[in-house]
Amino acid sequence: MIKFINANKWFNDQHVLKNINLEITKGEVIVICGPSGAGKSTFLRTINKLEPIDDGEIIVDGMYLSDSRTDLTALRAEIGMVFQHFNLYPHKTATNNITLAPRKVRGLSKNDARERAHKLLERVGLIHRKDAYPAQLSGGEQQRVAIARSLAMEPKIMLFDEPTSALDPELINEVLDVMISLAKEGMTMVVVTHEIGFAQKVADKVVFMADGEILEIGSPPGIFVNPRHQRTKDFMSSVFHIPIFDAGQEEE
Ligand code: ADP
Ligand code: MG
C-alpha cells in the first residue's frame, strides 16, 4: 500500500529524512514514535506529498510520487489526515464540517452528504452533537468530528499526527477508541503517537525514529519494553518513567 525506498529529504542543508525504507501493507497499523525533531511529521507529510522528497521513491497505492505525472488530487483523495489541532471550521456545525468536502470534491448532493455525515457522527459516538459548533464541543469531541470529516472522503489510508497530544488526559481515550475501532475494521493507518496503550492494542509494527532515521522497527513490546538500541532505551525511559506493561501481558 505504501512503500518507501531509500527516501531522503533535506530542509536546506539539514538532512531530515535519511534513507528511509519501509513497507506498509494494506490494513496494517504502524505507530511512529521518537523524540521531537526526529522527522516524524515530515515523514507523514511525504506520504501525501505535502512534502516532496529529494531522493529515492515513495509508492502509494501504485502511484509513484517522484513521477510528475502522478495526479496529486487523486493521491490526496485516498489519504485522510488528522493533526494535533483539529482545524474545524468554527462557523460550521459538526455536520456541516463533515459535508463540506464530499459536496465540493466528490459532488455529493446535500442530502447524501448529510446522510453520510450523520452515519459517521454515529460511528464516532457524536450523533447527539450533530448541530453543535466546534466551540461548543470538547477537544475530544472536536477531534472525533475531525476524524469523521476525514472518513467522509472514504480514504484508503489514514495518517494521524499526534492526534491526542493537545487533549486533556481524560479526553484521550475517547479519541483512541475511535482510532482503535477504525484499525480493527481494517483501515491502513500510520499514527505518530506515544500512546503505548493504543500501540499495544492495534499496532502491527512500531517504528522508532531519531535524527531523521528509522533506528528500529519491531512489535509494540519489542520497541517499548525490550528495545535494542541505546537511543531507543533512553527515549523510552525519558517518556515513560515506569514500565507500563510487560511483554507477555495482553489486554483486550
Ligand atoms: P517531529 O515531527 O519528529 O518533531 P519534524 O518532521 O516536524 O519532526 O521536523 C524534523 C526537522 O525538520 C526539525 O529539525 C524541524 O525543525 C525541521 N523542519 C520541519 N519542517 C520544516 C520546514 N518546513 N522548513 C525547515 N525545516 C523544517
Ligand atoms: Mg511532529
Side-chain angles (χ1 to χ4, degrees):
M1 193 62 148
I2 305 171
K3 190 169 184 179
F4 281 76
I5 305 165
N6 285 322
N8 282 279
K9 178 170 182 73
W10 286 264
F11 282 121
N12 303 312
D13 55 4
Q14 192 191 354
H15 199 175
V16 290
L17 293 178
K18 299 176 184 164
N19 275 318
I20 302 292
N21 285 289
L22 184 68
E23 185 158 7
I24 300 167
T25 59
K26 193 169 187 300
E28 264 192 320
V29 177
I30 306 296
V31 161
I32 314 277
C33 62
S36 176
K40 305 179 300 294
S41 296
T42 305
F43 168 83
L44 268 195
R45 290 160 59 83
T46 62
I47 297 173
N48 56 10
K49 216 176 173 183
L50 280 175
E51 295 288 358
I53 55 170
D54 299 302
D55 190 29
E57 185 62 271
I58 303 171
I59 308 164
V60 178
D61 198 23
M63 291 178 269
Y64 285 70
L65 303 200
S66 69
D67 187 340
S68 58
R69 290 166 301 182
T70 291
D71 179 352
L72 288 184
T73 311
L75 171 75
R76 289 173 188 163
E78 292 194 8
I79 303 174
M81 193 159 189
V82 174
F83 305 91
Q84 186 174 344
H85 295 285
F86 339 109
N87 304 321
L88 297 175
Y89 296 102
H91 55 288
K92 289 189 184 293
T93 62
T95 300
N96 290 339
N97 263 282
I98 300 171
T99 58
L100 193 71
R103 290 196 64 194
K104 278 204 171 146
V105 182
R106 296 271 203 252
L108 254 66
S109 71
K110 194 172 175 178
N111 277 341
D112 288 350
R114 279 185 78 80
E115 201 176 304
R116 183 180 292 187
H118 289 164
K119 274 194 189 131
L120 286 165
L121 282 170
E122 209 155 315
R123 183 161 162 194
V124 301
L126 287 174
I127 189 65
H128 59 295
R129 307 294 273 139
K130 65 182 168 45
D131 298 319
Y133 288 87
Q136 301 170 314
L137 300 171
S138 73
E141 288 173 333
Q142 289 184 56
Q143 192 62 302
R144 286 187 281 153
V145 172
I147 294 172
R149 180 177 59 177
S150 283
L151 294 176
M153 294 296 282
E154 303 185 314
K156 293 186 183 170
I157 298 166
M158 285 288 290
L159 309 177
F160 293 86
D161 195 353
E162 306 204 34
T164 59
S165 54
L167 298 176
D168 291 334
E170 72 273 21
L171 303 178
I172 289 176
N173 279 334
E174 64 189 56
V175 173
L176 293 180
D177 286 344
V178 168
M179 293 167 60
I180 288 167
S181 67
L182 200 55
K184 289 186 172 165
E185 288 161 24
M187 179 65 80
T188 306
M189 293 166 63
V190 187
V191 184
V192 175
T193 186
H194 298 129
E195 292 293 337
I196 72 171
F198 171 80
Q200 186 197 10
K201 285 196 180 94
V202 292
D204 295 292
K205 287 179 201 149
V206 178
V207 173
F208 179 73
M209 280 184 80
D211 301 325
E213 271 182 287
I214 292 182
L215 285 192
E216 253 184 275
I217 303 179
S219 65
I223 298 293
F224 293 121
V225 183
N226 297 307
R228 284 180 291 124
H229 283 265
Q230 191 57 41
R231 188 76 207 270
T232 321
K233 283 179 195 163
D234 293 344
F235 176 74
M236 293 308 160
S237 58
S238 72
V239 174
F240 313 111
H241 304 288
I242 45 163
I244 305 211
F245 65 89
D246 295 320
Q249 182 185 323
E250 271 289 343
E251 181 191 325
E252 183 51 62

